[in-house]
């Protein structure tokens, strides 16, 4: 790796929700509360039974699950969506459209399929609205993020993948390739698969789970498939076209999934089969397997469809080192000695980050831990503090062997 010229080295940057909180994006629980308030404020959501369905699902899950805060919005959406898909088919429906689980389920009062479907629409609309509003931010606040991205791009082929819907990264680096034509347009722009697959060395940002710039075409486009997503340069225009009220995408069990501009819930892999997300996800697999360095920022490690590819990359010959940037309430070694959750489990078993507890690594700098095998480095003070200490990032890259001692970041 060290013999390769700098700009030929490939960095995959995976950005999760924790990276956007410092810019005003809500946490999972804040967004859950906001969705509840927005649903209750809409008369249609109340009169259609969607608010009652939300209440029943949230309360039932809260009694069932062990989390002290109850159920989050993705869990609620998942249940509502799967219940909406179990509508009893008509007598003339062919087997292809008969949900296989339907005869084994008993419908609960207040949770009819139509109310659950309207609830799903309401949740997605609330998510889209809240995250779109959060993107109104002073450019000066994003300057450190822009500097970080600029430093990566000056030295490496930089492939950015984000699970976030916001556009903070694009505001910080507007020339990143999004999978759509770069020239600004007043209306919707079609995905550019030829460039996605033909120019894999272009610096990019791909929104794996959708974006506040994605929406549906206002009129039928015969060059595209029904329900394809388009890119809108203006967020307000994208939001006006974010809803879809046509047919679902069929699944093999006789159900379908709803077409949405942003992907939420717990069955994200099914929804990644449609353009442009299908291109993004396939490109992610290619890029993670060919990366010379993996950098993960604010990634909660709950997306199993992404974890599987990161795990494969870490198990292949010449596995790339990892830099993990996140936040713990205490220094990482102390925190991991007393608390071991899903994130820490994935770090050890799936990503092979060999650091845990007081004897599980070496502290350096103002918030870094070097794993015992020297192949991973963990920053534990959050993304904002990381951006305020850029010189320490270069030291971390040297310690994990990505940079020579004479090279700078």
């Amino acid at each position: 790796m060290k013999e390769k010229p700098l700009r030929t080295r490939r960095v995959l940057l995976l950005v999760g929700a924790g990276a956007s909180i410092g810019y005003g994006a809500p946490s999972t629980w804040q967004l859950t509360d906001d969705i509840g308030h927005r649903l209750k404020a809409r008369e249609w959501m109340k009169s259609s039974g969607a608010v009652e369905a939300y209440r029943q699902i949230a309360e039932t899950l809260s009694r069932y699950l062990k989390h002290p805060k109850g159920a989050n919005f993705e869990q609620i959406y998942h249940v509502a969506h799967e219940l909406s898909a179990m509508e009893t088919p008509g007598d003339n429906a062919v087997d292809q459209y008969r949900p296989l689980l339907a005869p084994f389920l008993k419908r609960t009062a207040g949770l009819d399929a139509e109310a659950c479907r309207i609830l799903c629409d309401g949740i997605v609309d609330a998510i889209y609205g809240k995250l779109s509003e959060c993107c109104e931010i002073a450019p000066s606040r994003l300057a450190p993020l822009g500097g970080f991205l600029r430093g990566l791009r000056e030295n490496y082929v930089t492939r950015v993948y984000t699970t976030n819907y916001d556009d903070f990264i694009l505001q910080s680096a507007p020339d990143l390739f999004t999978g759509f034509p770069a020239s600004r347009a007043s209306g919707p722009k079609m995905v550019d698969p030829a460039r996605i697959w033909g120019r894999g060395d272009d610096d990019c940002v791909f929104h794996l789970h959708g974006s506040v710039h994605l929406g549906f075409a206002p009129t039928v486009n015969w060059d595209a498939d029904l329900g394809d997503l388009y890119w809108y340069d203006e967020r307000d225009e994208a939001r006006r076209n974010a809803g879809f009220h046509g047919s679902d995408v069929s699944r093999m069990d006789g159900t379908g999934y709803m077409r949405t501009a942003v992907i939420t819930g717990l069955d994200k892999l099914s929804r990644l089969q449609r353009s442009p997300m299908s291109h993004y996800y396939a490109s992610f697999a290619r890029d993670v397997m060919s990366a010379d360095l993996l950098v993960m920022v604010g990634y909660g490690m709950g997306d199993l469809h992404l974890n599987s590819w990161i795990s494969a990359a870490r198990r292949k010959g010449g596995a790339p080192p990892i830099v993990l940037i996140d936040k713990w309430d205490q220094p990482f070694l102390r925190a991991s000695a007393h608390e071991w959750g899903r994130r820490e489990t994935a770090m050890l078993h799936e990503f092979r980050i060999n650091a845990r507890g007081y004897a599980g690594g070496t502290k350096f700098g103002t918030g870094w831990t070097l794993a015992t095998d020297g192949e991973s480095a963990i920053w534990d003070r959050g993304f904002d503090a990381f951006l305020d200490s850029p010189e320490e990032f270069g030291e971390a890259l040297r310690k994990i062997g990505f940079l020579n001692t004479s090279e700078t970041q």
Side-chain angles (χ1 to χ4, degrees):
M1 181 189 306
K2 296 175 183 177
E3 288 72 22
K4 294 174 67 175
L6 281 178
R7 181 57 193 171
T8 65
R9 300 185 200 172
R10 304 179 65 85
V11 173
L12 185 141
L13 174 61
L14 177 59
V15 181
S20 293
I21 290 176
Y23 302 118
S27 68
T28 296
W29 298 108
Q30 289 170 335
L31 186 53
T32 300
D33 291 340
D34 186 82
I35 289 169
H37 293 316
R38 288 175 184 250
L39 292 174
K40 293 173 185 175
R42 296 177 60 184
E43 287 301 322
W44 168 238
M45 288 292 131
K46 290 187 286 189
S47 63
S48 65
V51 169
E52 173 61 19
Y54 182 90
R55 183 193 67 79
Q56 285 197 40
I57 293 171
E59 290 182 358
T60 302
L61 287 177
S62 295
R63 291 191 297 268
Y64 176 71
L65 300 173
K66 300 296 184 181
H67 197 285
K69 293 185 178 181
N72 64 49
F73 72 92
E74 291 209 285
Q75 294 166 331
I76 295 170
Y77 178 90
H78 177 77
V79 170
H81 185 278
E82 296 310 297
L83 288 176
S84 74
M86 294 299 163
E87 185 173 11
T88 302
D91 292 339
N92 295 325
V94 297
D95 287 349
Q96 180 183 349
Y97 299 108
R98 288 183 173 274
L100 294 181
L101 287 178
F104 300 94
L105 301 176
K106 181 179 180 180
R107 181 70 63 179
T108 301
L111 291 177
D112 64 89
E114 184 62 20
C116 288
R117 187 177 183 85
I118 294 170
L119 171 57
C120 289
D121 281 335
I123 291 175
V124 170
D125 181 70
I127 293 170
Y128 203 108
K130 177 63 176 178
L131 270 298
S132 187
E133 293 164 8
C134 289
C135 291
E136 296 292 338
I137 186 172
S140 58
R141 291 187 59 191
L142 296 172
L145 173 59
F148 170 60
L149 294 171
R150 189 163 50 251
L152 288 178
R153 298 177 66 192
E154 287 173 352
N155 294 304
Y156 320 112
V157 174
T158 303
R159 308 285 286 179
V160 184
Y161 291 84
T162 177
T163 61
N164 300 337
Y165 314 130
D166 61 69
D167 64 0
F168 298 135
I169 291 173
L170 197 59
Q171 289 189 52
S172 303
D175 62 324
L176 288 172
F177 176 49
T178 62
F180 293 82
S183 57
R184 291 191 66 82
S186 59
K189 298 191 294 191
M190 291 182 63
V191 67
D192 186 357
R195 184 177 173 188
I196 292 176
W197 292 108
R199 296 172 60 177
D201 289 344
D202 287 359
D203 295 341
C204 68
V205 56
F206 290 162
H207 288 261
L208 288 160
H209 296 161
S211 164
V212 294
H213 286 276
L214 289 177
F216 298 94
T219 57
V220 174
N221 184 335
W222 297 110
D223 293 328
D225 290 336
L226 175 69
D228 271 1
L229 287 167
Y230 294 76
W231 185 273
Y232 291 86
D233 289 320
E234 299 299 330
R235 287 191 302 270
D236 289 344
E237 189 178 5
R239 186 176 180 187
R240 286 194 295 271
N241 292 286
F244 184 82
H245 303 291
S247 61
D248 292 349
V249 179
S250 296
R251 295 189 289 193
M252 295 179 69
D253 65 350
T255 65
Y257 65 83
M258 299 170 64
R259 302 172 196 262
T260 57
V262 294
I263 296 175
T264 189
L266 305 181
D267 183 27
K268 295 185 175 71
L269 186 56
S270 291
R271 293 163 172 79
L272 291 176
Q273 310 309 312
R274 298 290 293 178
S275 177
M277 284 73 161
S278 55
H279 298 294
Y280 294 164
Y281 184 53
S283 180
F284 175 82
R286 177 188 64 181
D287 282 337
V288 76
M289 294 301 290
S290 61
D292 296 305
L293 173 69
L294 304 178
V295 180
M296 294 186 285
V297 181
Y299 176 55
M301 305 185 187
D303 290 312
L304 304 184
H305 54 289
L306 304 182
N307 292 359
S308 62
W309 281 111
I310 298 170
S311 177
R314 289 286 289 165
R315 282 164 168 75
K316 72 181 181 70
I322 288 184
V323 174
L324 177 62
I325 301 160
D326 214 332
K327 185 174 178 60
W328 281 263
D329 292 334
Q330 305 178 75
F332 175 76
L333 293 179
R334 185 187 306 168
S336 60
H338 302 289
E339 181 178 345
W340 198 249
R342 180 181 65 182
R343 175 175 54 169
E344 292 76 16
T345 300
M347 287 170 59
L348 179 64
H349 296 293
E350 295 185 70
F351 302 165
R352 296 194 171 186
I353 299 176
N354 296 307
R356 179 185 180 183
Y358 294 107
T362 304
K363 293 178 63 177
F364 68 95
T366 62
W368 288 98
T369 298
L370 180 67
T372 54
D373 58 8
E375 295 181 357
S376 309
I378 302 163
W379 172 266
D380 58 29
R381 294 176 51 213
F383 192 37
D384 287 346
F386 167 82
L387 293 175
D388 290 338
S389 307
E391 69 285 347
E392 294 193 28
F393 182 47
E395 179 63 17
L397 295 183
R398 282 186 284 274
K399 285 186 177 293
I400 61 176
F402 183 67
L403 290 181
N404 290 318
T405 55
S406 60
E407 294 175 330
T408 60
Q409 164 57 38

